[in-house]
Amino acid sequence: EKQRLASSIQKSLRRIAAVMLVVVLLLPLSEFGKNYVVEFVLGRVLVDIQDALCAKLLGLPLRFHHATTRGDTMSRLLNDAGRAHRALDLLFADVIQAVFALLLGASVLFYISWQLTLVALCIAPPIVGVISVFGRRIRKTSRRRQERTSDVTARLLQILGGIKLIKAFRAQAQEEASFSQDNQRLFRASMRVVRN
């Protein structure tokens, strides 16, 4: 009897060790595969966005270029493309993974207790409502942040374009103060997005 129990325990331990080995080997490989595919797709999307922005910029009439500052244009080219890339990164990396986890979790919950699962689902509408309210606020504050980023970029381009005049008139302190003021506005706008 003791012999049979010891043999059964050894077999179980071997099975557990084999499963753990497979998990330890497969998890990093699957994580690498997921990360590689996500980064490849996002990298290609970023290249395409930047190419499309450049083509659009070159196709715009001269009156557009006279009406907008170089800082605004540069900010939109660089920052908007980067933000779109980060948003897609969030979508691919987090949202898709969260959807799969949610479906798997819901399946397990229904299996354990469909009554409790239905009670838990009653909480979903208020949560969706709160998320939509903050989503609108985030979009609004993000637009303001983008405007502030444009101001900072424009100020930097003005400084770099007029550096000889600034130095000739010893206006470094005034330019530094103006840049710092725009930079502080950008920081406050960014923090409003973070708070929301």
Side-chain angles (χ1 to χ4, degrees), residues 66-79:
H66 290 304
T68 57
T69 64
R70 277 186 282 172
D72 189 40
T73 306
M74 289 291 292
S75 174
R76 295 200 179 281
L77 275 173
L78 300 175
N79 294 320

Side-chain angles (χ1 to χ4, degrees), residues 177-196:
S178 293
F179 179 79
S180 179
Q181 195 174 37
D182 286 340
N183 218 10
Q184 288 298 322
R185 283 192 200 110
L186 171 59
F187 175 73
R188 286 192 297 271
S190 296
M191 292 314 295
R192 276 192 288 275
V193 174
V194 171
R195 274 196 306 273
N196 285 319

Side-chain angles (χ1 to χ4, degrees), residues 25-173:
L25 292 175
L26 286 183
L27 277 179
L29 288 175
S30 66
E31 185 69 18
F32 170 77
K34 182 196 87 165
N35 288 340
Y36 185 83
V37 168
V38 166
E39 289 302 320
F40 180 83
V41 170
L42 291 177
R44 289 304 315 159
V45 167
L46 182 61
V47 167
D48 291 345
I49 288 172
Q50 288 173 329
D51 287 348
L53 282 171
C54 183
K56 178 73 175 171
L57 188 64
L58 291 170
L60 289 170
L62 276 176
R63 76 173 179 279
F64 168 83
H65 295 287
H66 290 304
T68 57
T69 64
R70 277 186 282 172
D72 189 40
T73 306
M74 289 291 292
S75 174
R76 295 200 179 281
L77 275 173
L78 300 175
N79 294 320
D80 287 1
R83 289 195 200 293
H85 183 263
R86 283 192 292 281
L88 287 171
D89 185 22
L90 174 71
L91 177 69
F92 276 107
D94 295 340
V95 173
I96 291 174
Q97 190 173 345
V99 166
F100 282 123
L102 187 66
L103 291 174
L104 182 64
S107 302
V108 170
L109 286 175
F110 267 111
Y111 177 75
I112 292 170
S113 171
W114 65 269
Q115 296 95 339
L116 283 176
T117 304
L118 291 177
V119 170
L121 286 176
C122 290
I123 300 169
I127 291 173
V128 169
V130 169
I131 289 172
S132 68
V133 167
F134 280 100
R136 282 194 297 275
R137 289 173 70 174
I138 288 170
R139 280 192 297 277
K140 186 177 174 184
T141 54
S142 290
R143 271 196 302 276
R144 284 200 195 115
R145 178 178 62 184
Q146 186 56 42
E147 291 165 6
R148 299 295 170 245
T149 302
S150 172
D151 293 344
V152 167
T153 308
R155 176 72 64 187
L156 256 174
L157 285 171
Q158 286 173 349
I159 289 170
L160 292 174
I163 194 74
K164 289 178 185 173
L165 283 173
I166 291 168
K167 292 222 176 253
F169 288 101
R170 298 181 187 269
Q172 294 97 318

